[in-house]
């Protein structure tokens, strides 16, 4: 039932369990933001009437020359937009309320609906806008942010994620000062490799994990974007987020409409971890494909054999992962190509036929072999790409994104180019890849969908590319709703809440070095839950950074996300396989806590204390698992105490160390401690793993399970 709020509505409040957003929504005027923060009572909402108002969706052209969230050009060349509120409605939906503020330009025939959707239990509010060209002449949108949030100038700090290939999601924390801070992504296809479209904003100085007021924001969009903070002489930092409009105007013919992607906003008084918990629970329930289903433990073939795929080798890897207790085997790159066999990254993308020289009995024999071993089978594809050395490119050179008259720019392998997903025939082709594989092998349970290129040339609107991508994903999901699909883009290049509604998880990074993964996974966990973060045990020396860490350390890091393996088991010793077998069994014990629990980050690797630590607690707080990883090794350091968070102070917890390699158990193994003691005093963590002298390394780590009596 839509409750039309009084046409003369003044203050309008949108609540979640612990937060409130207040607007001034007077008919005939512009929508204005009054308050966003901790939950207010009705009486307190009325008290905000004394607060200053800030334009909620500032449009370019009139009323001050501040930064605009929105701008348009009319057919007659007029560049001003003035939006006046026509009506305000608030409608309940099963998870909260939908607040819609319908505005019309005071002169030109266009409407903009400013929307807010609250997610009551998760303390999330999504905002977006919908424009309709109600006139006969074309309307061109030149800026179309998803939202703008004014934040009072106090001691405001931001934490953003930046990186590169093999170094995704590094945390950068800095105070907001006068001027501009812009986070912009122009990669085209991999919008979380160099930077992320999410940000944490601390209102109480340098952010802390467990206390202080934090606003979190995530732009739910897979393509190019821009997040902007403007700090000027006003009392506000102005935060804007939206699609990057620089190269991408939106033209609307008569009657056409355009909706921006959603900007998800959360507020927490419980620090960064509190805001992360909101993102995780909202994501698992509303934005992640199959967010309520436990993930399988898998072996992926890539770092084990790279392009060297053959039937016997795949059987062997399946035997090994099955024998260690794994549940799924994924055949990565290298299985396809006819005229051009895919033996390296120079050829064959687009030629999605099985290379029968490598797999004489096709994929079918592999699916069958997996079934016989009691595990599932998955396969790698890269549907949006081709190589200029491929049968596909020979047949359809016009399908790629390129700038006419310019030589084409070729990426990975010197030959990789991007297909123009805005074209219907290319969308049909991409859908057809999945269709072909699934029709031939309906037993396939998992697809790794990769994307290993920037869009290096202008030649296709980035918005149109993503609309085409979305159309393909919608079709794939309609046909195979149960398929598990991993989102990969040269590692974690596509971790965003815009694409995750179609994907079950993402490959967090091609960098599987355990030490660097602690930093990468830490940043990723700001916005994305462990259930979505693929974390694999790999070989040493690590193939990317050539560091040698102990197997226990690699296991203990991978076990803090969605556990898997990325290794040639044939090269492992029996003892190493035993350790992995035990780890997989232990992971099965803690999987529901890791994948569905609440994160509490305890000691940040970025604080350089020599170690890092985080934990997950079950929703009922009757179980928890804590991780402690040494990140630096110097002799004569001080014995740290692991002070927990998120436990029930009144409950009694039994301590069990998982993945134990030490000759002697910890002093507190099997003992019982109160939640209060564990949180306020904590457990002492020996700085080294006490193993046989010949087995000692400079790495040490612990995984500790806490179970309430
Ligand atoms: C990308 C992925 C890897 C692997 C290779 C295959 O780099 O991130 O995991 O799938 O492609 O070529």
């Amino acid at each position: 039932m839509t409750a039309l709020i009084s046409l003369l509505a003044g203050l309008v409040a949108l609540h979640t369990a612990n937060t409130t957003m207040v607007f001034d929504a007077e008919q005939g005027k512009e929508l204005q933001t009054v308050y966003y923060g901790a939950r207010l009572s009705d009486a307190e909402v009325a008290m905000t009437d004394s607060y200053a108002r800030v334009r909620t969706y500032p449009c370019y052209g009139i009323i001050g020359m501040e930064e605009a969230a929105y701008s348009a050009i009319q057919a007659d060349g007029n560049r001003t937009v003035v939006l006046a509120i026509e009506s305000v409605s608030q409608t309940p939906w099963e998870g909260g309320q939908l607040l819609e503020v319908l505005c019309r330009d005071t002169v030109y025939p266009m409407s903009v609906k400013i929307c807010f959707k609250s997610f009551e239990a998760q303390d999330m509010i999504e905002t977006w806008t919908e424009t309709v060209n109600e006139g006969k002449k074309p309307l061109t949108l030149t800026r179309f942010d998803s939202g703008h949030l004014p934040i009072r100038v106090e001691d405001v700090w931001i934490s953003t994620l930046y990186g590169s290939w093999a170094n995704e999601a590094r945390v950068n924390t800095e105070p907001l000062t006068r001027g501009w801070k812009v986070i912009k992504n122009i990669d085209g296809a991999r919008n979380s490799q160099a930077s992320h479209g999410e940000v944490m904003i601390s209102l109480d100085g340098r952010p802390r994990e467990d206390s202080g007021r934090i606003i979190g924001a995530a732009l739910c969009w897979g393509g190019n974007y821009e997040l902007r903070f403007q700090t000027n002489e006003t009392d506000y930092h102005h935060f804007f987020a939206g699609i990057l409009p620089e190269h991408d105007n939106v033209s609307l013919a008569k009657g056409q409409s355009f909706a921006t992607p959603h900007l998800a906003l959360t507020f927490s008084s419980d620090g960064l971890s509190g805001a992360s918990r909101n993102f995780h629970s909202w994501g698992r329930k509303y934005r992640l494909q199959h967010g309520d289903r436990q993930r399988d433990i898998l072996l992926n073939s890539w770092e084990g054999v790279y392009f060297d795929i053959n039937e016997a080798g795949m059987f062997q890897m399946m035997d090994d992962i099955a024998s260690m207790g794994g549940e799924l085997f994924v055949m990565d790159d290298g299985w396809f190509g006819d005229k051009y066999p895919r033996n390296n990254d120079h050829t064959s993308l687009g030629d999605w036929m099985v290379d029968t020289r490598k797999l004489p009995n096709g994929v079918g024999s592999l699916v069958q072999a997996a079934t016989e071993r009691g595990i599932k089978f998955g396969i790698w594809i890269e549907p949006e790409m081709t190589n200029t050395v491929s049968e596909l490119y020979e047949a359809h050179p016009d399908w790629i994104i390129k700038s006419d008259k310019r030589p084409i720019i070729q990426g990975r392998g010197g030959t990789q180019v991007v297909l123009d997903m805005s074209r219907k025939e290319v969308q049909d082709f991409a859908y057809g890849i999945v269709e072909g594989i699934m029709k031939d092998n309906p037993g396939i349970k998992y697809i790794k969908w990769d994307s290993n290129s920037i869009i290096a040339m202008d030649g296709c609107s980035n918005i149109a590319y993503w609309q085409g991508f979305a159309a393909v994903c919608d079709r794939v999901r309609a046909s195979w709703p149960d398929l598990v699909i991993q989102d990969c883009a040269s590692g974690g290049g596509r971790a965003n809440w815009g694409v995750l509604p179609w994907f079950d998880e993402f490959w967090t990074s091609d960098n599987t070095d355990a030490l660097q993964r602690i930093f990468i996974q830490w940043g990723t966990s700001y916005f994305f839950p462990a259930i979505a973060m693929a974390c694999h045990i790999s070989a040493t020396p690590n193939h990317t950074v050539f560091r040698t860490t102990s197997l226990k350390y690699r296991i203990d890091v991978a076990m803090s996300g969605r556990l898997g393996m990325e290794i040639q088991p044939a090269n492992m010793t029996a003892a190493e396989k035993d350790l992995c077998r035990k780890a997989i069994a232990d992971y099965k014990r803690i999987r529901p806590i890791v994948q569905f629990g609440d994160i509490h980050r305890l000691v940040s690797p970025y604080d350089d204390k020599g170690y890092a630590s985080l934990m997950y607690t079950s929703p009922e707080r009757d179980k928890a698992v804590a991780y402690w990883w040494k990140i630096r090794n110097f002799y004569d350091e001080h014995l740290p105490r692991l002070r927990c968070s998120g436990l029930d102070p009144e409950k009694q917890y039994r301590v069990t160390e998982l993945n134990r390699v030490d000759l002697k158990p910890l002093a507190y193994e099997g003992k019982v401690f109160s939640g209060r003691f564990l949180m306020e005093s904590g457990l002492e963590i020996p700085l080294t793993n006490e193993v046989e002298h010949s087995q000692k390394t400079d790495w040490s780590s612990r995984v500790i399970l806490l179970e309430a009596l």
Side-chain angles (χ1 to χ4, degrees), residues 165 168 300 302-303 306-307 332-334 342 344-345 349 380-382 412 416 448 450-452 486 488-493 507 509-511 566:
W165 175 76
E168 294 88 340
N300 183 287
W302 180 242
E303 283 194 29
Y306 293 101
F307 295 99
D332 207 284
D333 201 348
R342 177 83 170 166
N344 51 47
D345 60 9
L349 294 175
W380 179 96
I381 51 175
E382 196 175 351
R412 188 181 183 201
Q416 185 159 334
K448 175 172 174 177
D450 213 337
S451 174
N452 290 311
Q486 184 187 75
C488 176
S490 317
W507 180 221
S509 178
D510 273 350
N511 188 340
E566 183 95 16

Side-chain angles (χ1 to χ4, degrees), residues 24 41 82 182 190 262-263 280 283 292 385 546:
D24 189 335
S41 66
V82 178
V182 177
R190 301 171 305 187
H262 292 199
L263 172 66
H280 296 181
D292 57 352
M385 305 284 161
F546 304 100

